[in-house]
Amino acid sequence: MRPKTICVIGLGYIGLPTASLLATKGYSVLGVDVAPSVVETINAGDIHIVEPELDILVRSAVGSGNLRASLTPEPADVFVIAVPTPFKGDHEPELAYVDSATDALCPHLSPGDLVILESTSPVGTTERVAARIAQKRPELTEADRVFVAHCPERVLPGHILRELIENDRIVGGVDGPSTDAAVRFYETFVSGEVIATNARTAEMCKLTENSYRDTNIAFANELSMLCHELGMNVWELIRLANRHPRVDILNPGAGVGGHCLAVDPWFIVHSAPDTARLIRTAREVNDGKAHWVVDRVVEKASRFRDPVVVCLGLAYKPDIDDLRESPALEIAKALTAKVDGTVLAVEPNITAYEGLEITDLHDALERADIVVALVSHREFKRVDRALLQAKVLIDACGVFR
Ligand code: SAJ
């Protein structure tokens, strides 16, 4: 029988779009979040995050009566866990949010319910969820059992609503019946292919996708530093190398940010520290790139008396307002502390950030001695190159290439 009621725990970048989408597909959805302000905002038909078209979807889902938000779970046919999985100090995965979401849904489980972990998780986390449920609700076994599966989210911020529907999904249960139940559920709203595997492979698949991209970006970032050392233009080099039919090098940048690529590879490293050497090194190269940019700017700034340094961009990638793990933000902060002069930041997608002087693009360019391009926002692509002529330009992201 098709499930009717869904409880989505965690109303962030993944949980809220998922809950709203399911509501518009006819499910009765309860979204749960620990933050009262988030619950209030959503119940008012508004959103607390920036994502194209999400406001329209949430308004329509809440307006239809199919989406409600609450601080606590209620009984449902399907529970979706979409809480953060950051890491602790020493890159050790922090699973406290997954554990507390599991504990919160346990009292509401009934035989036949399906629990899906969507949060990006280290290998073994879905089994951990199943074991926690078995411990708290030991009577839910055999004919009265519940089903537990992992289906990692794979959507690209900025394109979440389209990708939630169109992307292929990897579904892995802790056993065959759990996999089957989860596949049937995703097939009701995903137009991409829903592919069955086991829970551990599904977990590793998501970590592999992001580590693959991180490693490829590390290659590009290493090339950018090599080219600087050897006196070459890295953008020209990559453009030429990419003319080979089997070469496709990504773009160097100010480093790698966001809550995914900068985090997930560490889950693999933590699981197998002696074996995951390339993945660890890629993380170190990408983190090191931000420090390298800072050193270059500080070195240039030391040649001026009272220089004005302008950082173009603070977000973790172009055309969004998301500052999580942003190398551009870290660079701007480090320069503010290190440069003996004035550091200005231009970020068209946010209005203020404590400790940084955010200013208008044209005003900043007029005052600048040194321009540091950190994020390829569309506003920067349109800058008249004549305005940059008398400046020292450090273009970490290639926006003026
Ligand atoms: N970046 C570069 N050079 C490039 C591409 C990206 O320096 O050529 C940088 C960006 O500037 C940014 C970082 O990498 O700082 C990550 O950006 P991204 O656009 O590559 O990815 P995310 O973090 O926004 O989303 C990724 C996606 N994963 C993959 O493409 C394999 C997305 O599909 C995942 O769902 C998401 O992580 C996630 O939630 O895990």
XYZ file of all heavy atoms in Angstrom, residues 14 120 153-157 163 206 209-210 213 217 221 250-253 255-261 264 316-318 327, ligand 1:
272
model
N 18.028 20.310 2.683
C 17.505 19.086 2.061
C 16.105 18.771 2.585
O 15.185 18.500 1.816
C 18.448 17.886 2.339
C 19.859 18.185 1.821
C 17.887 16.597 1.745
C 19.938 18.530 0.350
N 24.060 12.759 4.668
C 25.331 12.159 4.245
C 26.017 11.585 5.474
O 26.220 12.299 6.457
C 26.213 13.245 3.608
O 25.487 13.817 2.525
C 27.525 12.656 3.124
N 21.062 12.177 -0.173
C 20.671 13.285 -1.047
C 21.852 13.609 -1.956
O 22.994 13.436 -1.562
C 20.225 14.485 -0.206
C 21.293 15.059 0.733
C 22.241 16.018 0.041
O 21.943 16.383 -1.112
O 23.269 16.371 0.631
N 21.568 14.068 -3.173
C 22.652 14.342 -4.126
C 22.449 15.655 -4.851
O 23.022 15.892 -5.905
C 22.691 13.235 -5.198
C 22.752 11.863 -4.662
C 22.483 10.871 -5.760
N 23.698 10.187 -6.159
C 23.757 9.305 -7.135
N 22.672 9.022 -7.825
N 24.886 8.716 -7.441
N 21.585 16.508 -4.302
C 21.188 17.704 -5.056
C 22.215 18.830 -4.943
O 22.889 18.969 -3.933
C 19.811 18.219 -4.591
C 18.731 17.262 -5.029
C 19.782 18.408 -3.076
N 22.285 19.629 -6.000
C 23.232 20.741 -6.048
C 22.529 22.010 -5.564
O 21.521 22.411 -6.156
C 23.714 20.925 -7.491
C 24.934 21.813 -7.686
C 26.178 21.146 -7.105
C 25.156 22.113 -9.153
N 23.050 22.629 -4.500
C 22.438 23.886 -4.069
C 22.296 24.846 -5.252
O 23.212 24.998 -6.060
C 23.437 24.408 -3.024
C 24.043 23.155 -2.452
C 24.133 22.208 -3.617
N 16.690 18.886 -9.195
C 17.503 17.677 -8.989
C 16.838 16.680 -8.033
O 17.073 15.477 -8.146
C 18.915 18.050 -8.530
C 19.713 18.775 -9.619
C 21.225 18.623 -9.474
O 21.681 18.035 -8.487
O 21.944 19.097 -10.379
N 27.738 7.992 -1.802
C 27.632 9.447 -1.631
C 28.994 10.060 -1.265
O 29.408 11.081 -1.829
C 26.604 9.753 -0.542
C 26.598 11.175 -0.058
C 26.214 12.133 -1.173
C 26.503 13.566 -0.786
N 25.334 14.347 -0.558
N 31.194 10.158 -4.369
C 30.866 11.210 -5.352
C 31.535 12.530 -4.965
O 32.165 13.197 -5.794
C 29.344 11.405 -5.413
C 28.604 10.229 -6.017
C 27.138 10.174 -5.604
O 26.608 11.183 -5.105
O 26.526 9.118 -5.762
N 31.398 12.895 -3.695
C 31.961 14.180 -3.277
C 33.481 14.136 -3.170
O 34.158 15.129 -3.452
C 31.306 14.644 -1.974
C 29.920 15.234 -2.232
O 29.543 15.452 -3.376
N 29.168 15.483 -1.184
N 34.911 14.584 -6.689
C 34.929 15.990 -7.131
C 36.014 16.761 -6.374
O 36.745 17.557 -6.969
C 33.542 16.599 -6.910
C 33.350 17.957 -7.575
C 31.877 18.239 -7.774
N 31.598 19.593 -8.193
C 31.707 20.044 -9.447
N 32.091 19.219 -10.401
N 31.423 21.291 -9.753
N 39.173 18.724 -8.071
C 39.420 20.158 -7.854
C 40.819 20.350 -7.258
O 41.521 21.306 -7.596
C 38.324 20.788 -6.963
C 36.952 20.663 -7.631
C 38.631 22.262 -6.693
C 35.776 21.020 -6.733
N 43.673 22.852 -8.381
C 44.285 23.825 -7.464
C 45.798 23.643 -7.403
O 46.554 24.617 -7.352
C 43.668 23.695 -6.067
C 42.370 24.483 -5.961
O 42.192 25.491 -6.655
N 41.466 24.043 -5.109
N 38.952 20.385 -13.875
C 38.008 21.365 -13.315
C 38.707 22.706 -13.082
O 39.871 22.881 -13.453
C 37.421 20.817 -12.018
C 36.508 19.597 -12.198
C 36.063 19.064 -10.846
C 35.280 19.933 -13.037
N 37.977 23.639 -12.473
C 38.517 24.995 -12.275
C 39.226 25.139 -10.942
O 38.655 24.786 -9.908
C 37.375 26.012 -12.269
C 36.785 26.177 -13.635
O 37.485 26.158 -14.634
N 35.478 26.313 -13.682
N 40.420 25.727 -10.951
C 41.022 26.102 -9.670
C 40.187 27.219 -9.039
O 39.426 27.895 -9.730
C 42.405 26.637 -10.045
C 42.553 26.478 -11.512
C 41.218 26.163 -12.101
N 40.344 27.400 -7.748
C 39.594 28.460 -7.076
C 40.329 28.907 -5.830
O 41.524 28.650 -5.665
N 39.859 27.738 -3.016
C 39.813 26.593 -2.095
C 38.483 25.915 -2.341
O 37.775 26.272 -3.273
N 38.145 24.949 -1.522
C 36.863 24.256 -1.703
C 36.022 24.458 -0.456
O 36.490 24.229 0.656
C 37.097 22.758 -1.977
C 35.817 21.959 -1.788
C 37.612 22.570 -3.403
N 34.782 24.910 -0.661
C 33.924 25.171 0.493
C 32.606 24.445 0.409
O 32.430 23.514 -0.370
N 31.673 24.908 1.247
C 30.365 24.267 1.306
C 30.360 23.190 2.382
O 31.403 22.819 2.910
N 29.170 22.680 2.647
C 29.013 21.711 3.733
C 29.207 20.284 3.233
O 28.963 19.342 3.969
C 27.629 21.884 4.347
C 26.548 21.895 3.302
N 26.495 22.844 2.319
C 25.531 21.058 3.069
C 25.468 22.591 1.527
N 24.872 21.517 1.955
N 29.615 20.116 1.945
C 29.659 18.763 1.373
C 31.091 18.358 1.038
O 31.683 17.508 1.694
C 28.802 18.704 0.123
S 27.166 19.390 0.396
N 31.661 18.984 -0.005
C 32.997 18.575 -0.453
C 34.058 18.816 0.608
O 35.040 18.070 0.699
C 33.377 19.346 -1.733
C 33.026 18.668 -3.048
C 31.557 18.356 -3.160
C 33.456 19.520 -4.223
N 32.660 15.772 3.593
C 32.409 14.333 3.394
C 33.674 13.478 3.196
O 33.739 12.353 3.707
C 31.456 14.122 2.202
C 30.141 14.864 2.400
O 29.922 15.390 3.511
O 29.354 14.924 1.448
N 30.569 30.513 -0.634
C 31.428 29.357 -0.924
C 31.473 29.013 -2.408
O 32.373 28.302 -2.850
C 31.068 28.156 -0.048
C 30.023 27.184 -0.584
C 30.372 26.165 -1.469
C 28.709 27.271 -0.176
C 29.426 25.273 -1.937
C 27.752 26.383 -0.628
C 28.118 25.383 -1.513
O 27.176 24.505 -1.969
N 30.503 29.537 -3.173
C 30.567 29.364 -4.631
C 29.735 30.453 -5.306
O 29.034 31.196 -4.618
C 30.171 27.956 -5.050
C 28.720 27.576 -4.841
C 28.529 26.171 -5.403
C 27.065 25.772 -5.421
N 26.866 24.478 -6.044
N 29.782 30.558 -6.631
C 29.130 31.688 -7.297
C 27.612 31.745 -7.128
O 26.935 30.714 -7.096
C 29.480 31.481 -8.784
C 30.686 30.614 -8.782
C 30.581 29.747 -7.564
N 35.943 29.217 1.713
C 37.347 29.658 1.739
C 37.463 31.157 1.515
O 38.347 31.802 2.084
C 38.000 28.869 0.593
C 36.893 28.338 -0.247
C 35.655 28.301 0.607
N 34.692 24.265 -7.030
C 35.933 24.607 -7.582
N 36.184 24.254 -8.875
C 35.262 23.616 -9.644
C 34.014 23.268 -9.078
C 33.754 23.618 -7.759
O 36.793 25.183 -6.915
O 35.556 23.351 -10.814
C 34.413 24.615 -5.626
C 33.238 25.580 -5.442
O 33.635 26.909 -5.631
C 32.836 25.271 -4.017
C 33.115 23.773 -3.894
O 33.985 23.438 -4.945
O 33.664 25.982 -3.094
C 31.880 22.891 -3.966
O 30.996 23.342 -4.983
P 30.219 22.341 -5.969
O 29.351 23.158 -6.834
O 31.173 21.431 -6.613
O 29.363 21.395 -5.012
P 28.366 21.607 -3.761
O 29.178 21.449 -2.507
O 27.540 22.826 -3.873
O 27.416 20.322 -3.954
C 28.019 19.030 -3.971
C 27.501 18.258 -5.194
N 28.297 17.050 -5.363
C 28.866 16.728 -6.549
O 28.774 17.437 -7.527
C 29.597 15.433 -6.611
C 26.025 17.925 -5.000
O 25.547 17.096 -6.059
C 25.817 17.207 -3.671
O 24.450 16.874 -3.438
C 26.258 18.145 -2.581
O 27.678 18.367 -2.768
C 25.978 17.520 -1.235
O 24.986 17.922 -0.589
O 26.679 16.575 -0.833
